[in-house]
Amino acid sequence: MNKKISVKLLSASNYLLYLFLSILLIVSLIFIDKFNHFYDLTNNRKFTISEESSKILKELKEDIDILVFSTKESVEGNTRKDLYKFFKPYLSYTNKIILKFVDPREEPFLAEKYKITQNGEVVINFNNQSTNIKELTESNFLNTINKLTNVKISNLYFIEGHGESGFDSIDPRGSNRFFNSLSKAGFKFEKFNLFNEEIGKLPASATLILLSPEKNLLKGEIKKITSYIDSGINFVWFLNSKKLDYEDELSEYLGIKISNNAVESKRSVNLNMSKDFTIPKQVNKFGSLNDFNGTIVLPFTRIIKQNTSSKFNFKKIVDLDYSDIKNKREFMNEQFDLSNDNYSPIIIGKDTAKVIVSTSSDFFSNENYGLYSNLEFGIKLFRFLNYEINKIFIAEKTRDDLSLLINNRVFYSSNFFLILPFIFFVLGFFVWWKRKRY
């Protein structure tokens, strides 16, 4: 074979080899991160999400924004790397999770907005709702997503015609500012006349609101309310600051007793507030209030207790401080035994429907909704009506073992070097075959 032809063929083969390897390398670098998969070879499947997790992630229809507040460097080590390792399986499973790391030192206003208190704290945002996670585990993470994404927003129907505090009123004792905030959380509002046959049939997901009426309801109106509750319509009853006659009949149906008097607080006076403002000892944690940690102020606080015959199995939302009540004698005259702690200004119950009975709605009025955490508390109180999520328990994985987690980069890179000899063999055979022909 002509020597010049042989040299040219060899050079062409080398160029072909270099071109092929270059193209292969470029394609790998471009697409290797587009396929966010990994292969878990650990004995306990540490980096594989559980079956419960996969069910929740499959049902995601909208994006979930996750903010991870972590400094770029910390004395604990590379916190961001550990946190990313936690989220990696979920990012691989679904494209509905949008993950962003935030350094709280560089964005202090954002950290203050979400009330960040520790390095590595996670905030999950979904549909104008957010929840903080301080202890990041699979159970906490998935239960938070499950809670946020399973809220079923219902329309709120406000009974009118009795001088009720208006949800659209701009007066100081009106509530338009609070309900504007509630609207941003997805709630919708309508006015409702109990004798209007056109809207007499409420949808099953509706919530009927009686917002601190100034006038008595008629017996026929009360009967209609109780019929709605019996049919499964949720009901929220905010009392007036003073007792009205209609309360007796509705209280008897619900199986509760309501005080005529309002609490006079010693502590509020010491804080230069009106004696009619009460700061509760605590807000009990359950349902939508599980993650509420604020302080609230309740004006004109009347107290409620459940009778033993009540079918609604009421729970206390708020506990009062017995030692703070100045006018105990007035409640004793009404046969309220305040020493046994079997009372509350706000209670929640459930039978065929959910029912909330609360002291005056003044705590989220335009002049009071900004006090302490009243706004947050009010929104979470309404959210209780719209979902009831069973908590998911997922056993935590053990620490890293000696087996391997192979992600897509390691997998493709290792396979590239495994098949490289085969590529050389094929190209060598091609060169040999070409040379043999000449």
Side-chain angles (χ1 to χ4, degrees), residues 126-379:
F126 180 78
N127 195 22
N128 295 318
Q129 306 171 68
S130 66
T131 299
N132 290 33
I133 301 179
K134 297 184 184 296
E135 184 182 353
L136 189 59
T137 64
E138 188 174 8
S139 289
N140 290 346
F141 176 59
L142 269 301
N143 276 303
T144 301
I145 290 180
N146 194 33
K147 180 180 73 172
L148 291 176
T149 57
N150 279 278
V151 175
K152 298 178 180 178
I153 301 299
S154 68
N155 284 5
L156 305 180
Y157 291 82
F158 290 83
I159 297 172
E160 62 175 354
H162 316 89
E164 288 85 358
S165 174
F167 69 87
D168 54 355
S169 172
I170 62 174
D171 293 336
R173 297 194 68 180
S175 308
N176 74 305
R177 293 181 181 178
F178 170 76
F179 285 106
N180 283 342
S181 299
L182 205 59
S183 176
K184 292 177 182 178
F187 288 87
K188 296 180 180 179
F189 319 118
E190 292 186 34
K191 293 182 179 180
F192 185 78
N193 190 307
L194 288 169
F195 288 102
N196 190 334
E197 294 301 328
E198 293 179 4
I199 53 174
K201 293 185 178 180
L202 295 175
S205 61
T207 295
L208 197 58
I209 313 288
L210 184 56
L211 196 61
S212 300
E214 296 282 349
K215 301 176 183 178
N216 283 309
L217 277 70
L218 300 174
K219 288 185 176 294
E221 292 176 305
I222 295 173
K223 184 176 181 181
K224 209 155 194 179
I225 290 174
T226 58
S227 296
Y228 277 126
I229 298 172
D230 288 337
S231 69
I233 300 295
N234 294 334
F235 178 59
V236 182
W237 180 16
F238 290 99
L239 303 170
N240 193 280
S241 57
K242 298 179 180 179
K243 185 182 185 306
L244 295 175
D245 293 338
Y246 83 93
E247 294 176 5
D248 293 334
E249 187 173 347
L250 196 50
S251 298
E252 184 179 356
Y253 165 79
L254 294 173
I256 58 175
K257 182 178 180 179
I258 304 170
S259 70
N260 298 335
N261 295 289
V263 170
E264 294 180 8
S265 169
K266 301 176 186 176
R267 183 181 177 189
S268 296
V269 174
N270 294 335
L271 294 173
N272 293 321
M273 292 192 295
S274 168
K275 63 181 175 59
D276 297 319
F277 283 51
T278 305
I279 300 176
K281 181 170 63 176
Q282 68 177 22
V283 175
N284 296 315
K285 295 181 179 295
F286 60 88
S288 57
L289 292 163
N290 267 327
D291 56 353
F292 180 78
N293 297 303
T295 300
I296 61 174
V297 178
L298 301 177
F300 312 111
T301 307
R302 295 171 65 190
I303 60 177
I304 309 154
K305 71 175 184 179
Q306 177 181 348
N307 298 329
T308 55
S309 59
S310 176
K311 64 180 180 179
F312 287 93
N313 190 26
F314 285 103
K315 294 183 179 180
K316 297 188 299 177
I317 293 296
V318 172
D319 286 336
L320 296 180
D321 185 352
Y322 174 74
S323 62
D324 182 48
I325 301 175
K326 182 179 180 181
N327 54 334
K328 295 184 181 70
R329 184 173 296 277
E330 294 179 4
F331 291 99
M332 291 174 61
N333 293 337
E334 294 185 52
Q335 298 182 338
F336 274 91
D337 183 6
L338 300 185
S339 61
N340 67 12
D341 202 32
N342 185 28
Y343 57 90
S344 175
I346 306 175
I347 59 176
I348 288 177
K350 181 182 178 183
D351 185 41
T352 53
K354 293 178 182 177
V355 173
I356 296 177
V357 183
S358 171
T359 189
S360 170
S361 61
D362 277 274
F363 76 86
F364 56 70
S365 67
N366 291 334
E367 61 181 350
N368 296 321
Y369 85 109
L371 292 174
Y372 292 89
S373 300
N374 280 13
L375 174 60
E376 180 187 358
F377 172 77
I379 291 174

Side-chain angles (χ1 to χ4, degrees), residues 403-438:
S403 300
L404 296 174
L405 169 70
I406 300 181
N407 61 26
N408 55 325
R409 185 178 294 276
V410 175
F411 179 79
Y412 291 126
S413 300
S414 59
N415 278 282
F416 175 77
F417 288 106
L418 286 174
I419 65 173
L420 194 60
F422 177 73
I423 293 173
F424 280 120
F425 173 78
V426 172
L427 291 176
F429 179 81
F430 175 75
V431 172
W432 171 80
W433 182 69
K434 285 286 186 181
R435 294 179 63 182
K436 184 178 179 183
R437 289 183 62 185
Y438 291 100

